[in-house]
Amino acid sequence: MGRGTLRIYLGAAPGVGKTYAMLAEAHRRVERGTDCVVALVEHHDRPRTEVMLHGLEQIPRSEIDYRSAVFTEMDVDAVLERAPAVALVDELAHTNVPGSRNAKRWQDVEELLKAGIDVISTVNIQHLESLGDVVESITGVRQQETVPDEVVRRADQIELVDMSPQALRRRMAHGNIYQPDKLDAALSNYFRPGNLTALRELALLWTADRVDEYLQQYRGEHNIRTTWQARERIVVGLTGGPEGRTLIRRASRMAAKGSGSEILAVYIARSDGLTSASPKELAVQRTLVEDVGGTFHHVIGDDIPAALLEFARGVNATQIVLGSSRRKTWQYIYGPGVGATVARESGPDLDVHIVTHEEVAKGRGLPIARGARLGRARIVGGWLVGVGGSVLLALLLLSLENGPGLANDVLLFLFLTVAAALLGGLRPALASAAVGTLLLNYWFTPPTHTLTVQDPENFVAIVIFFAVAVAVSSVVDLAARRTHQAARLRAESEILSFLAGSVLRGETALDALLERVRETFAMESVALLERASDVDPWTCAGSVGPAPVARPDDADVDMPVGDNMALALSGRVLPAEDRRVLGAFAAQAAVVLDRQRLVSEADRARRLAEGNRIRTALLAAVSHDLRTPLAGIKAAVSSLRSDDVAWSPEDEAELLEGIEDGADRLDHLVGNLLDMSRLQTGTVTPLIREIDLDEVVPMALGGVPEGSVDLDIPETLPMVAVDPGLLERVVANVVENAVKYSPGGEPIAVAASALGERVELRVVDRGRGVPDEAKERIFEPFQRYGDAPRGAGVGLGLAVSRGFAEAMGGTLDAEDTPGGGLTMVLTLTAAPGREPAQDRAVLPAEATS
């Protein structure tokens, strides 16, 4: 009998519907006539799941006595005896009760599979053994029940059961997952939106890796050799050719495998000749790079492999992606190519990926450049070919008994002269022509071994040889110079095009522009300097790179911008032809600086307008909200001082109580106004120390009616690093606000919990809540939501609370309360050195089983 197949429903989180999906699959198979039984399913009292068990045969469980209690587990022997075609086994990571046949449920499943029984099971992503530390860092809960990854990977089928965090929380709020008494604790701790989103991402990534394994297996079984590109800081080398789009997309798929990966596409323009770069194609590729979240860089470099490696190491890259060469076979006589050179010189710190594409070996669009700025190796080669080659050719011809004749000798020497011109330029070619003329005259023109020429025809041949050699050398050198000029103009036009594009896009980052200057001209540092007048000292408006200069006179290159501004570069001296492009960069830098200052002034004007708005609101508050309690106090005092009325002791007590209440309200309003003023002026300086929440929170509840708050602060909470005075004001304001909006007679809940290095205090009310679009607006000064009575305050409580929370390094946010209402979440930093207890994070038992 063959081994059974294993199908697993992998859940992103508890409650997404794994068991329900498994039971639905069982019903489909039963309808098709498959012998399917329920070996073990946990429905956790969920009505919808329990209904799905109807109509399915269930194997009775075995009972095990352990520590004076009776537990039930799957009866493996009964399932083996029944020998169904398919068995349903829920919660693959479950740990069996001591005394069971196997320690883990997945071992029970392994027995069923060996017996030829197909098994359908379920497991949550947090129960995979390799993800235990990751899940604990996210949720603050260590999963005690795990299953080896290999057990799940060996499954014949894995189906991801997924659900958005918002939908899952709604299901919980509707009571479809947990009982009401467990609901608030679960939503406040394990089932927070951030936790669910992170678990969902883990499940998607893990499943994607498994899909890759299936794909590789399929390709191997079907002997598929063609590339199927299914999916890290990565540098993409672009040539401006059509293969660039393929490289960018390939790099994007590589970056998608690691969180936080970055793509940097770089085009290196050679300054010594034409390239096959198309400005239109480069513009398309730049847009594509930006669409996939990467950045585009334009660099000028004479040695493309060296410039590419220098750029990659400068940005701390880990991988380089290059395209296979578009050269034809014969073009490799010019050298091994950029890809092979980069791969050879990259060293162990850089991985080089050579990506194939449709343009491989189809030839480059334009011939390889022959520029006037030749490297030392080519110049030396030109001299060796022109002078050394001529001498060797003469020795070779002299060694022949019957030479090819003077005409052929002239053509051979002319060939060496042309080769010297192609390699080393004009000077080696002229030297080759001169040496060739002397050798022809001395060794091959009668009378030999003298510099005289007896036959006039031979004299004419030698003169024509020298003239042709000089003419060919001049033409080749002129073509190289024109090629260099065309390349320079093209490179400049590309840079100016990108610069104009940045102007049109409204890019205002001065540092980014200066970094572009540093990359383009391969400088060490770039600084934009300015001064108020000719006699004032220079100041630095912006700089990039190490040790920027403080004065234009100290720079290797300085480009004036007007009378009192200059762009100063350090690293090397630029040739004169580069200053035209540098001037464009300098002008753009001045424009960007002016734009930044205008934006700053606009922001300052906006802040002044905001201040005026706050002052206007403050005047309104003083004119109305502060006068209301004052009017009440004055009326009560005037009544008490009146001689016309004889007040009874009860009336006097009531008037005095009104005075006291008005004074308290007035004190509270003035306190909030002063606190808001301190926050606006930035004079809040918290005195941070370690303290327990249960020392501060009860003191903050003194201003609310007794019995209006249900307080739940576990003693096992870690201490928090806060300013106790500011924390008390925050809690008091938030709690008073919650009590004010809570329905009459229904207390609000104040509960604390620890999550990793954070401690959260949640204030939960059951009022009418706040729409999502208004959740941030309620934290603005002088804002009161809905129809709050005018005498209820000036709308500063939540604004002051958030300001104080942020001053202490915490946050204050608003969330919806499941079932209706608003929950204020105050997040604080846990004090180091005291680990929270494991039982502090509340998680229903079935979520960890």
Side-chain angles (χ1 to χ4, degrees):
M1 181 179 295
R3 177 182 173 87
T5 61
L6 175 61
R7 177 171 182 168
I8 292 179
Y9 286 93
L10 177 66
V16 295
K18 307 178 303 300
T19 305
Y20 190 93
M22 178 180 67
L23 293 172
E25 175 64 20
H27 279 286
R28 285 192 292 270
R29 297 197 182 200
V30 170
E31 291 174 359
R32 295 196 299 265
T34 305
D35 182 15
C36 183
V37 302
V38 177
L40 187 143
V41 166
E42 299 285 359
H43 56 74
H44 299 298
D45 297 325
R46 298 169 184 167
R48 296 177 181 271
T49 305
E50 193 172 2
V51 168
M52 292 296 292
L53 286 169
H54 297 165
L56 297 176
E57 179 186 349
Q58 300 186 48
I59 304 295
R61 304 186 185 189
S62 63
E63 296 183 351
I64 301 174
D65 293 328
Y66 179 68
R67 292 184 178 181
S68 303
V70 178
F71 299 88
T72 61
E73 295 289 357
M74 181 174 65
D75 192 338
V76 180
D77 291 328
V79 178
L80 292 174
E81 184 178 355
R82 170 66 174 75
V86 180
L88 274 59
V89 183
D90 205 4
E91 298 180 356
L92 188 64
H94 173 75
T95 301
N96 292 330
V97 176
S100 301
R101 182 189 187 99
N102 296 301
K104 303 288 289 187
R105 186 167 291 168
W106 64 265
Q107 295 170 326
D108 297 337
V109 169
E110 188 66 22
E111 286 196 37
L112 301 181
L113 293 173
K114 289 180 179 179
I117 301 174
D118 295 343
V119 177
I120 303 177
S121 187
T122 65
V123 70
N124 284 326
I125 191 67
Q126 70 265 26
H127 294 300
L128 294 180
E129 202 167 69
S130 65
L131 300 178
D133 294 338
V134 179
V135 173
E136 183 180 13
S137 66
I138 294 170
T139 65
V141 177
R142 182 67 182 186
Q143 300 294 332
Q144 302 300 323
E145 294 187 328
T146 60
V147 58
D149 289 46
E150 187 57 29
V151 173
V152 183
R153 286 183 180 276
R154 285 202 307 263
D156 299 275
Q157 298 179 54
I158 298 177
E159 183 171 335
L160 178 65
V161 183
D162 186 25
M163 182 178 291
S164 70
Q166 295 78 12
L168 180 56
R169 285 170 61 88
R170 283 196 299 270
R171 286 190 63 189
M172 297 185 68
H174 295 157
N176 294 334
I177 300 176
Y178 295 138
Q179 298 300 320
D181 58 331
K182 301 176 181 179
L183 184 59
D184 287 340
L187 287 172
S188 302
N189 292 278
Y190 193 87
F191 290 88
R192 295 158 49 84
N195 292 356
L196 296 177
T197 301
L199 291 174
R200 187 185 190 196
E201 182 179 19
L202 283 177
L204 291 170
L205 291 175
W206 196 92
T207 307
D209 289 340
R210 184 68 179 116
V211 170
D212 282 343
E213 294 176 13
Y214 279 130
L215 181 61
Q216 294 302 324
Q217 180 181 353
Y218 176 85
R219 286 164 52 80
E221 292 173 352
H222 294 78
N223 196 28
I224 298 174
R225 301 303 180 190
T226 58
T227 302
W228 286 4
Q229 299 176 348
R231 63 163 185 152
E232 196 152 86
R233 200 168 206 161
I234 303 174
V235 169
V236 183
L238 302 177
T239 65
E243 78 281 0
R245 306 183 197 184
T246 302
L247 303 185
I248 294 168
R249 295 189 178 100
R250 178 60 176 164
S252 176
R253 288 191 293 272
M254 294 169 60
K257 294 183 179 180
S259 177
S261 298
E262 184 179 356
I263 301 176
L264 302 95
V266 57
Y267 168 65
I268 300 176
R270 298 182 61 167
S271 63
D272 63 347
L274 285 171
T275 67
S276 56
S278 165
K280 182 179 179 180
E281 181 65 26
L282 280 176
V284 172
Q285 293 175 14
R286 173 173 184 155
T287 302
L288 179 59
V289 169
E290 294 173 348
D291 288 343
V292 300
T295 57
F296 187 91
H297 303 264
H298 190 286
V299 177
I300 291 180
D302 292 332
D303 188 339
I304 290 181
L308 181 59
L309 289 171
E310 182 181 357
F311 176 84
R313 294 190 176 107
V315 298
N316 196 29
T318 57
Q319 302 190 49
I320 297 177
V321 177
L322 298 173
S324 295
S325 178
R326 289 186 285 123
R327 291 180 175 184
K328 293 184 180 296
T329 304
W330 64 270
Q331 290 178 313
Y332 281 95
I333 63 174
Y334 297 117
V338 173
T341 305
V342 170
R344 184 181 67 245
E345 299 179 0
S346 62
D349 57 336
L350 276 173
D351 294 336
V352 179
H353 302 266
I354 305 297
V355 180
T356 58
H357 49 84
E358 296 179 352
E359 303 297 323
V360 173
K362 290 186 178 180
R364 302 180 66 89
L366 293 174
I368 294 178
R370 303 295 175 197
R373 289 184 178 178
L374 303 174
R376 179 178 298 178
R378 288 187 55 183
I379 294 176
V380 171
W383 282 97
L384 289 176
V385 170
V387 178
S390 297
V391 174
L392 291 176
L393 177 61
L395 294 176
L396 177 63
L397 294 175
L398 290 173
S399 65
L400 300 175
E401 293 184 2
N402 297 318
L406 181 62
N408 291 326
D409 294 342
V410 170
L411 292 177
L412 291 174
F413 278 99
L414 182 60
F415 172 76
L416 290 179
T417 301
V418 173
L422 293 173
L423 279 176
L426 181 61
R427 292 182 180 180
L430 293 177
S432 176
V435 171
T437 300
L438 292 175
L439 291 175
L440 284 170
N441 189 359
Y442 190 82
W443 292 103
F444 302 101
T445 304
T448 59
H449 303 96
T450 66
L451 294 178
T452 59
V453 180
Q454 183 176 358
D455 190 343
E457 294 181 0
N458 293 338
F459 178 78
V460 172
I462 292 175
V463 171
I464 293 175
F465 161 75
F466 183 78
V468 171
V470 171
V472 170
S473 301
S474 300
V475 170
V476 171
D477 182 71
L478 181 61
R481 292 180 183 276
R482 293 291 181 264
T483 297
H484 168 69
Q485 292 174 1
R488 290 293 306 178
L489 292 174
R490 170 174 254 173
E492 290 178 7
S493 66
E494 291 171 354
I495 294 173
L496 293 174
S497 174
F498 289 133
L499 192 58
S502 67
V503 175
L504 294 176
R505 289 189 298 271
E507 296 179 357
T508 57
L510 181 61
D511 290 345
L513 180 62
L514 297 181
E515 181 64 29
R516 179 63 57 83
V517 175
R518 191 176 72 88
E519 289 178 355
T520 301
F521 297 101
M523 307 301 283
E524 294 179 359
S525 65
V526 178
L528 183 62
L529 307 177
E530 63 175 348
R531 58 183 178 181
S533 65
D534 295 341
V535 297
D536 290 322
W538 290 94
T539 59
C540 182
S543 65
V544 294
V549 298
R551 299 185 310 160
D553 296 341
D554 300 331
D556 294 317
V557 181
D558 71 283
M559 174 59 64
V561 187
D563 296 331
N564 298 311
M565 186 177 292
L567 193 64
L569 296 81
S570 299
R572 64 188 180 94
V573 178
L574 290 179
E577 58 265 30
D578 286 340
R579 295 184 66 86
R580 180 169 59 254
V581 178
L582 181 61
F585 272 111
Q588 175 64 7
V591 172
V592 169
L593 181 61
D594 289 340
R595 184 180 298 155
Q596 284 185 347
R597 288 174 174 170
L598 290 173
V599 171
S600 177
E601 291 178 3
D603 186 61
R604 191 181 305 112
R606 183 190 59 78
R607 289 197 300 270
L608 289 174
E610 178 69 14
N612 288 332
R613 187 186 69 83
I614 291 178
R615 280 191 289 271
T616 302
L618 178 60
L619 290 174
V622 170
S623 65
H624 185 280
D625 297 280
L626 295 182
R627 292 179 62 185
T628 300
L630 280 175
I633 294 173
K634 178 174 178 59
V637 172
S638 299
S639 298
L640 288 173
R641 294 188 61 187
S642 175
D643 297 332
D644 300 336
V645 181
W647 301 104
S648 64
E650 293 80 6
D651 292 336
E652 289 183 357
E654 184 178 353
L655 290 172
L656 290 174
E657 183 180 358
I659 293 172
E660 185 178 11
D661 290 343
D664 289 341
R665 288 174 54 195
L666 189 61
D667 178 68
H668 181 72
L669 294 173
V670 171
N672 276 339
L673 289 171
L674 292 176
D675 290 338
M676 198 66 227
S677 176
R678 292 168 59 199
L679 289 171
Q680 292 290 331
T681 57
T683 57
V684 176
T685 306
L687 302 176
I688 304 296
R689 65 184 181 90
E690 299 179 2
I691 193 170
D692 285 315
L693 274 181
D694 54 10
E695 296 181 27
V696 179
V697 175
M699 299 174 59
L701 305 181
V704 297
E706 186 176 352
S708 61
V709 176
D710 289 338
L711 189 60
D712 180 19
I713 300 181
E715 295 181 357
T716 55
L717 281 179
M719 303 176 75
V720 291
V722 296
D723 182 317
L726 296 183
L727 178 59
E728 183 179 346
R729 292 298 302 275
V730 172
V731 176
N733 281 343
V734 173
V735 170
E736 290 175 7
N737 188 76
V739 170
K740 178 172 61 178
Y741 287 99
S742 186
E746 185 170 350
I748 67 169
V750 178
S753 60
L755 296 169
E757 298 179 354
R758 310 184 307 275
V759 174
E760 286 189 352
L761 185 71
R762 306 176 75 88
V763 180
V764 183
D765 69 62
R766 296 291 179 178
R768 65 180 185 275
V770 176
D772 291 339
E773 62 272 13
K775 282 189 174 63
E776 285 300 315
R777 196 165 64 246
I778 62 176
F779 291 102
E780 296 179 4
F782 303 103
Q783 295 291 325
R784 289 180 294 187
Y785 179 69
D787 55 353
R790 289 293 299 173
V794 294
L796 287 176
L798 292 181
V800 170
S801 297
R802 172 173 275 190
F804 283 173
E806 293 176 348
M808 295 185 292
T811 59
L812 179 63
D813 299 295
E815 296 180 357
D816 290 330
T817 301
L822 189 68
T823 298
M824 289 292 180
V825 183
L826 175 62
T827 304
L828 304 170
T829 303
R834 179 172 160 186
E835 294 294 333
Q838 285 294 327
D839 60 351
R840 185 185 64 257
V842 180
L843 181 63
E846 56 265 35
T848 61
S849 58

